[in-house]
Amino acid sequence: MVKTTLPLLAVCAALQACAQHQTVTPVVHRPPADIIKTAKPREWRTLDPNNTLVMTIKGMEVVLELAPRFAPLHAANIRTLFHEGYFNHSAVIRVHDNYVTQWGVPADESATGKETARSTGSAQSKLPMEFTIAANDLKLTPLRDADGWAAQSGFIDGFPVALDPAEDKAWLPHCYGMVGAGRDSAPDSSTGTSLYVVIGQSPRHLDRNITVVGRIIKGMEALSALPRGSGALGFYEKPSQYIPIPSASLLADLPANKRPQLEVMRTDSASFKELLESRRHATNPWFVRSPEYSNVCNISVPMRVVEHPKK
Amino acid sequence: MVKTTLPLLAVCAALQACAQHQTVTPVVHRPPADIIKTAKPREWRTLDPNNTLVMTIKGMEVVLELAPRFAPLHAANIRTLFHEGYFNHSAVIRVHDNYVTQWGVPADESATGKETARSTGSAQSKLPMEFTIAANDLKLTPLRDADGWAAQSGFIDGFPVALDPAEDKAWLPHCYGMVGAGRDSAPDSSTGTSLYVVIGQSPRHLDRNITVVGRIIKGMEALSALPRGSGALGFYEKPSQYIPIPSASLLADLPANKRPQLEVMRTDSASFKELLESRRHATNPWFVRSPEYSNVCNISVPMRVVEHPKK
């Protein structure tokens, strides 16, 4: 347990008690594990079945939560694609070390077991780019520190957020586990038929250049531990190297007993706010020096598996 | 190609010609690939055979360059351990997703094929911690931008460096691919018999808390694409899950025809300095917005395989 004395003003703001009581005690930062353990039931939320995707890759369950606040049209299109089965028997076609894993329906479908042309069904074939949204009305849980890539950052809806108040823009940063919609040269050429996830150091130079659609909640290792592709940009060179994705469903379309029972900590909860402060400090006695700093891409939003589904 | 107009002062400093010629042309940033392609032979260096380690993991060649400037005693000890064969038939025992892969001689050697007790030979059994060195005399190639984790950063000897001039301290930051010496609770309990490499978002909170000893130059995918361990902290739970490291040598001990022929771009070269500036900008027309920023952990030092060894 590390005790840290904050400047008087910050402690007063946190305690809202300094006007009455002029005695300030040092702030004690609880370890993240303790904060997670004692979080109240109302500080956790279940996943919206219409906003959650479930894939199977190498026998592992991968759960992706969409971010409709930031990319409403892409989220709706991807929901349609999963609901109508477009991603069943799709494949991972690219794994670029320290960068991204990308999946979709390969041009050569010989490895997916499908031989008929793949239809995108009722999904839109053209979407606008959704790189940023208005920032100034967002009720973020803010980070105390800036990181160089953005003027401010924080969390909302369970997602990391970067923002520039001067430009009134907010966006989902390319942190580990964040999912985007692949595009060609034209900025508005993504539709959600090709998705990628960050598997290395956050490539924040991609921020505001492509539509980020969500985050992997569970099963990252099914995407991060795959063999790297030997082709340009990490693409697999032969269809036989593709990693099959035999099933890919909208959570709402799965029978109740097949749904992963997960809860995510609410990022507007008191426990998450305490976690953000705790992450700035080294609370484990193994550390000899506390960073007194944190970065939006170094903080994971807690997730837990619920043993007994709620009624 | 993206043309960017720098403030007049910066352009004058770069061109050293403004006093004579008041006409300033916009700075054109060449793409990184062009810079690497046109770098002169003297801007590349070969690896010091006494400072380079070569391991085989899953049939892939992994090359590690030590950083004796930052951790001279650990580098010397690790050199001895590799020279005397300590790491032959060692194993990867831990893969923690978005964090580190760790290897060494497992307590249970049943999976390594060795049945005799492993001796550390003439290596030291106790070393001081080597977390930082003096900063103020370092001739860094500086980065223009700060990143929040350190007051300044840059490169030297082919390594990323973070530093705090006020404290006169410099250290190797925990970027993707950086290698450290595992330790127990005591800060001075590392000897180099257990090594780890960063395989995810840079865990910079570890900076200045553990001795960083070098960097993976080639073969990161042999360490980053391994199955994640299901035990606490990502340790493999069963010896049968260990990933064997059948051979691990000091480069100097390999016959000439078995040595990987690699060159690394000199980080004090004009080409590398140009690369650092280029990395701040989006030079590829795919981008609609240039970050005008870079982070020491987002920049890779170029490496190339030399087809024909030099005489």
Side-chain angles (χ1 to χ4, degrees), chain A residues 233-289:
Chain A
L233 303 175
F235 279 95
Y236 290 134
E237 295 186 88
K238 298 172 193 166
S240 61
Q241 297 170 313
Y242 295 156
I243 309 291
I245 303 179
S247 70
S249 306
L250 184 65
L251 183 58
D253 293 332
L254 289 176
N257 63 351
K258 298 277 188 188
R259 294 184 185 182
Q261 299 293 330
L262 306 177
E263 288 186 342
V264 178
M265 187 181 275
R266 292 182 189 277
T267 47
D268 57 357
S269 66
S271 287
F272 189 74
K273 288 169 188 169
E274 183 182 357
L275 191 67
L276 286 189
E277 277 302 306
S278 172
R279 285 285 183 207
R280 303 181 73 251
H281 304 275
T283 53
N284 187 314
W286 182 91
F287 285 85
V288 296
R289 182 180 183 279

Side-chain angles (χ1 to χ4, degrees), chain B residues 30-271:
Chain B
R30 293 195 296 153
D34 285 4
I35 297 168
I36 293 167
K37 194 175 172 185
T38 62
K40 296 185 176 63
R42 66 166 185 275
E43 296 185 308
W44 298 86
R45 64 182 169 86
T46 54
L47 295 165
D48 176 352
N50 283 301
N51 206 39
T52 306
L53 312 171
V54 184
M55 300 185 288
T56 306
I57 300 177
K58 286 200 162 183
M60 286 183 274
E61 184 179 71
V62 177
V63 181
L64 192 166
E65 184 173 29
L66 294 169
R69 182 194 295 269
F70 290 87
L73 298 171
H74 280 76
N77 226 39
I78 293 167
R79 195 180 292 127
T80 298
L81 289 165
F82 274 74
H83 173 61
E84 296 182 357
Y86 178 80
F87 277 97
N88 280 327
H89 303 289
S90 60
V92 174
I93 58 172
R94 175 192 184 194
V95 185
H96 189 151
D97 193 58
N98 191 19
Y99 196 37
V100 297
T101 291
Q102 187 169 351
W103 67 98
V105 175
D108 178 346
E109 285 219 42
S110 59
T112 69
K114 269 210 174 187
E115 292 182 12
T116 54
R118 188 77 59 112
S119 163
T120 53
S122 58
Q124 301 294 317
S125 59
K126 180 83 180 170
L127 294 178
M129 49 191 187
E130 297 181 296
F131 297 174
T132 63
I133 62 171
N136 292 340
D137 292 334
L138 287 182
K139 289 190 173 60
L140 278 196
T141 300
L143 244 77
R144 185 197 289 241
D145 308 298
D147 64 22
W149 295 102
Q152 292 180 18
S153 58
F155 287 83
I156 197 166
D157 304 343
F159 294 99
V161 181
L163 68 167
D164 184 334
E167 289 191 53
D168 190 21
K169 289 188 191 299
W171 62 92
L172 295 175
H174 280 79
C175 302
Y176 193 92
M178 294 297 285
V179 176
R183 71 164 170 91
D184 295 325
S185 299
D188 59 354
S189 57
S190 60
T191 61
T193 55
S194 183
L195 300 171
Y196 65 90
V197 61
V198 172
I199 61 163
Q201 170 71 11
S202 48
R204 299 283 300 274
H205 58 289
L206 295 177
D207 290 6
R208 303 176 67 174
N209 279 296
I210 193 164
T211 300
V212 179
V213 300
R215 178 172 89 85
I216 300 296
I217 301 291
K218 178 172 178 278
M220 258 307 287
E221 69 185 90
L223 294 159
S224 62
L226 297 173
R228 278 44 180 159
S230 52
L233 303 175
F235 280 95
Y236 290 133
E237 295 186 87
K238 299 173 193 167
S240 61
Q241 296 171 313
Y242 295 157
I243 308 291
I245 304 180
S247 70
S249 307
L250 184 65
L251 184 58
D253 294 330
L254 290 177
N257 64 350
K258 297 279 187 187
R259 294 185 185 181
Q261 299 293 330
L262 306 178
E263 288 187 342
V264 178
M265 185 179 277
R266 292 182 188 278
T267 47
D268 58 357
S269 67
S271 286

